[in-house]
Amino acid sequence: MIPVHPAQNDTTQPPYRAKIGENESMVKFSKLMTVSLALLLVVGMMAGCQRKKPLDTFTNLDDQSGLGSERTTGDGLPGMDLESLLFEPGSKYGLQTVYFDYNSDALRGDAMDTLRSNAEKIKQVPGVVIQIAGHCDERGTQEYNMALGERRALAVRQYLIQLGVSGDRIVTISYGKEFPAAVGSNEAAWSKNRRAEFNRAR
């Protein structure tokens, strides 16, 4: 009689089947990741195409009619109209102060350069009325400085008119030495106080 031995378990088959299962899972996961990355890439490209370049407020403006509308600016001041930007402290679009020599209402070279830039900004905002305020340093009497401040404001107004700004849009006022920009009894302070500033006319 031929002896019958009990069937032995094939210990290699289960690990082999487990290996096949792992490979199938990895393939499915890899396909899923590939599809997901492709979708993200497509969405990113569509969003990039729709993104618009911010509008630089004082350049490439074809329509000046919407002065009261909100605009996005290139210097981080979104939602402000052009007229407000003219008087926004620290804005590169704002009207810049001009300075004078001691006891003088003559426009210096740097003041003329500043006024040429200011004139172009004013022209881009039709309808706004500008107030030019003349100031002086602390030396001299109040009466003398009031008259000197007025002459400085008028000199600025006249130059802006020569540059093409309508005189109807410019008013002047003198504050003499009443409102110094810098406090001190030295040239460093005085040079900052001999000035003409631009404000919105009330």
Side-chain angles (χ1 to χ4, degrees):
M1 179 180 295
I2 299 174
V4 178
H5 298 284
Q8 296 181 354
N9 292 330
D10 188 354
T11 58
T12 62
Q13 189 65 18
Y16 178 75
R17 289 178 179 174
K19 187 68 174 179
I20 294 297
E22 290 177 359
N23 288 339
E24 291 177 351
S25 298
M26 288 299 294
V27 170
K28 291 180 180 179
F29 180 75
S30 178
K31 289 181 178 180
L32 180 61
M33 289 298 295
T34 301
V35 173
S36 299
L37 290 174
L39 288 174
L40 287 174
L41 180 61
V42 171
V43 172
M45 292 176 63
M46 293 177 63
C49 293
Q50 294 177 354
R51 187 178 297 114
K52 296 181 179 180
K53 182 180 179 181
L55 177 64
D56 192 338
T57 306
F58 273 77
T59 57
N60 301 323
L61 291 182
D62 297 325
D63 181 11
Q64 295 292 340
S65 60
L67 293 177
S69 61
E70 292 187 350
R71 301 177 185 271
T72 300
T73 70
D75 66 346
L77 295 171
M80 299 189 68
D81 59 75
L82 303 185
E83 183 175 339
S84 296
L85 284 172
L86 283 178
F87 308 101
E88 179 67 18
S91 169
K92 65 180 179 180
Y93 302 116
L95 299 177
Q96 305 301 313
T97 301
V98 296
Y99 298 92
F100 295 84
D101 290 331
Y102 172 65
N103 198 31
S104 173
D105 57 28
L107 295 175
R108 306 186 317 204
D110 61 329
M112 292 181 181
D113 291 340
T114 298
L115 291 176
R116 281 191 286 270
S117 175
N118 285 354
E120 292 305 312
K121 296 172 184 177
I122 294 171
K123 291 176 186 178
Q124 293 192 52
V125 191
V128 64
V129 179
I130 307 296
Q131 179 196 79
I132 303 172
H135 298 266
C136 305
D137 64 36
E138 64 180 355
R139 293 170 291 182
T141 66
Q142 176 64 9
E143 293 76 12
Y144 180 84
N145 282 321
M146 287 294 291
L148 178 58
E150 181 64 20
R151 293 198 303 272
R152 287 172 173 169
L154 289 173
V156 171
R157 179 180 185 273
Q158 185 60 37
Y159 192 65
L160 288 175
I161 292 174
Q162 293 177 17
L163 294 172
V165 179
S166 172
D168 295 337
R169 301 180 57 196
I170 309 171
V171 298
T172 62
I173 191 172
S174 175
Y175 291 111
K177 58 181 180 180
E178 290 301 307
F179 299 103
V183 178
S185 297
N186 51 62
E187 182 57 30
W190 294 333
S191 64
K192 292 181 175 64
N193 294 331
R194 302 188 299 261
R195 69 198 192 279
E197 294 179 329
F198 296 85
N199 305 304
R200 190 197 309 266
R202 302 300 180 186

